[in-house]
Amino acid sequence: MDLEGRRESSNVEDRRGMSAGRKVGIGGIGGLIIAGLITLLMGGNLGDVLQNAGTMGMGMGQEQQGEVDPTQFTEQEQELAAFSKKILAGTEDVWTKVFQEQGLGRYTPPTMVLYTGSTSTGCGQGSAQMGPFYCSADQCLYIDLSFFSSMRQQLGADGDFAYAYVIAHEVGHHVEYLTGTLNKAHQQMSRMNEKDANRISVRLELLADFYAGVWAHHDNKMFGSLEQGDLEEAIICAQKIGDDYLQKRAQGYDVPESFTHGTSAQRMKWLKLGLQTGDVRYGNTFQMSDAQL
Ligand SMILES: [Zn+2]
C-alpha cells in the first residue's frame, strides 16, 4: 500500500506496555463472546465481537491512564502503530463520506486501543489470544500489534494490505453497530441455540468482510492507496481465515455447523464484492439463505 503523506488518526488510546490493571471476569458481568476474526489462530474458540450483555459501565480501564514511552518499542513496533493509525484515519475519511452519500446518517468513529497482553474493556477482560476484537459497549477496537506477526508466522498471511483488512474488518463491526445490525443480531442470538446463533454470526462476520472491501474500494479512490499485489494479499488472507480452512488445518476435518465466520470461499466472495462495488447496498448477508451466502 502507498500511505505516503497520509494522516494518522487521533482516535487512538495507546496502552502498550501497561499492566492490565484490575481484572474483571467476563462471566461476572454477563458478557457474551460472539464470533471472531480468526478464531482458531491461537487455538481457542474465541471471538472478535465482545458484547456487554450486563449493565457494567463504560469506565473500566480508565485507571490505565498514563503516557506511553515510545523508546520502549522497537522501530518495527512503532512502524506498525503508525501504519494502524493511518489505516484507521482512512476508515474515518471513507466511512464519513459513505455514510453521508449513501444516506446512513452521521458517522462517529470508533477508538482504537493498542495494548499488550491483556486489557480491560467495556465488554470485560480482553486478551491478545482473542486476536483483534471490537466491543460495542465502548465502541472501541482492541489490537495487540503482535497479532500481525502471528498472522505472518502461523498463517503465512502477510503484507500491509492483509493487515489493513484486519483493521477494516473490526471497523466493519463498528459500522454494523452504527447501523443497528449488530445489536439486532446479538438480540436474536441471545434467544437461540448455538447452532442457529452461529448462522447469524457468520452473517455478521461476512458483512464485516464486505465492509472492509467497501473501505478499500473508497480508500483507493480517494487516496490511490492500492498497489500491485495488494488485492491478492487480502484475498489470500481471507482464504486463510475461513472456518473450514482453519478447522481442517487444526484438526484434520471441519464441522460446518460450528462455523462462526464463514468458509474461505465465502469470506473471499464478500470481501471482493465490497472491493468491486464500494456500495453498502450490496451488503445483504442477512437477506440470504445459507446456500446463497
Ligand atoms: Zn469479526
Side-chain angles (χ1 to χ4, degrees), residues 7 20 23-24 34 63 85 90 118 135-136 151 157 196 209 274:
R7 75 175 176 94
K23 295 268 183 209
V24 180
I34 300 169
E63 73 269 37
K85 290 175 191 177
S118 77
C135 167
S136 59
M151 268 175 69
D196 289 336
D209 285 339

Side-chain angles (χ1 to χ4, degrees), residues 3-291:
L3 299 176
E4 193 67 37
R6 296 278 299 268
R7 75 175 176 94
E8 294 181 12
S9 171
S10 54
N11 294 313
V12 176
E13 195 186 324
D14 199 343
R15 298 183 193 168
R16 289 177 298 158
M18 294 182 184
S19 67
R22 188 165 47 97
K23 295 268 183 209
V24 180
I26 286 172
I29 58 167
L32 188 60
I33 301 173
I34 300 169
L37 175 75
I38 305 182
T39 36
L40 298 175
L41 179 63
M42 308 290 193
N45 186 22
L46 294 162
D48 78 327
V49 182
L50 294 184
Q51 185 196 24
N52 183 6
T55 52
M56 180 59 80
M58 288 168 49
M60 292 161 52
Q62 294 307 308
E63 73 269 37
Q64 298 174 23
Q65 295 296 343
E67 285 297 304
V68 168
D69 172 11
T71 59
Q72 66 181 301
F73 304 112
T74 64
E75 199 179 321
Q76 198 199 10
E77 284 168 333
Q78 286 305 81
E79 268 171 25
L80 264 183
F83 168 82
S84 303
K85 290 175 191 177
K86 285 182 182 179
I87 296 300
L88 185 66
T91 67
E92 290 162 0
D93 296 342
V94 163
W95 284 114
T96 297
K97 183 171 171 279
V98 170
F99 265 56
Q100 229 163 33
E101 287 177 359
Q102 302 188 13
L104 297 173
R106 199 170 72 87
Y107 181 70
T108 52
T111 299
M112 179 168 72
V113 180
L114 304 178
Y115 71 100
T116 315
S118 77
T119 196
S120 49
T121 83
C123 298
Q125 196 70 16
S127 83
Q129 282 84 44
M130 295 164 161
F133 62 89
Y134 173 73
C135 167
S136 59
D138 56 16
Q139 297 181 48
C140 290
L141 45 120
Y142 291 85
I143 300 183
D144 180 324
L145 295 174
S146 66
F147 178 78
F148 294 127
S149 356
S150 310
M151 268 175 69
R152 188 174 57 239
Q153 288 158 8
Q154 298 183 28
L155 282 180
D158 196 21
D160 53 4
F161 192 60
Y163 298 172
Y165 160 47
V166 170
I167 295 169
H169 171 99
E170 298 309 331
V171 174
H173 286 308
H174 179 65
V175 172
E176 291 173 341
Y177 169 73
L178 292 178
T179 56
T181 309
L182 190 63
N183 285 349
K184 209 170 124 191
H186 280 161
Q187 274 165 20
Q188 288 176 338
M189 288 165 83
S190 68
R191 293 190 296 263
M192 287 173 166
N193 63 39
E194 197 181 335
K195 192 178 151 188
D196 289 336
N198 286 346
R199 295 177 57 235
I200 300 287
S201 170
V202 166
R203 284 164 170 76
L204 276 178
E205 295 302 328
L206 294 177
L207 187 58
D209 285 339
F210 170 80
Y211 285 149
V214 169
W215 162 74
H217 174 100
H218 290 281
D219 196 82
N220 188 44
K221 238 180 176 171
M222 290 165 83
F223 304 107
S225 46
L226 296 188
E227 295 175 313
Q228 186 127 32
D230 279 340
L231 296 186
E232 289 75 12
E233 273 171 28
I235 302 289
I236 288 170
C237 178
Q239 189 241 326
K240 290 191 170 177
I241 57 180
D243 286 324
D244 52 342
Y245 180 90
L246 287 170
Q247 288 190 2
K248 279 181 193 148
R249 192 170 173 269
Q251 61 199 26
Y253 58 92
D254 63 358
V255 184
E257 65 180 46
S258 73
F259 291 172
T260 51
H261 293 75
T263 63
S264 294
Q266 289 171 333
R267 299 198 74 163
M268 290 193 283
K269 174 184 156 181
W270 286 95
L271 174 65
K272 273 190 200 163
L273 185 66
L275 271 164
Q276 283 159 3
T277 65
D279 185 337
V280 290
R281 286 172 300 182
Y282 288 93
N284 52 358
T285 59
F286 283 87
Q287 277 87 56
M288 301 244 161
S289 69
D290 288 349

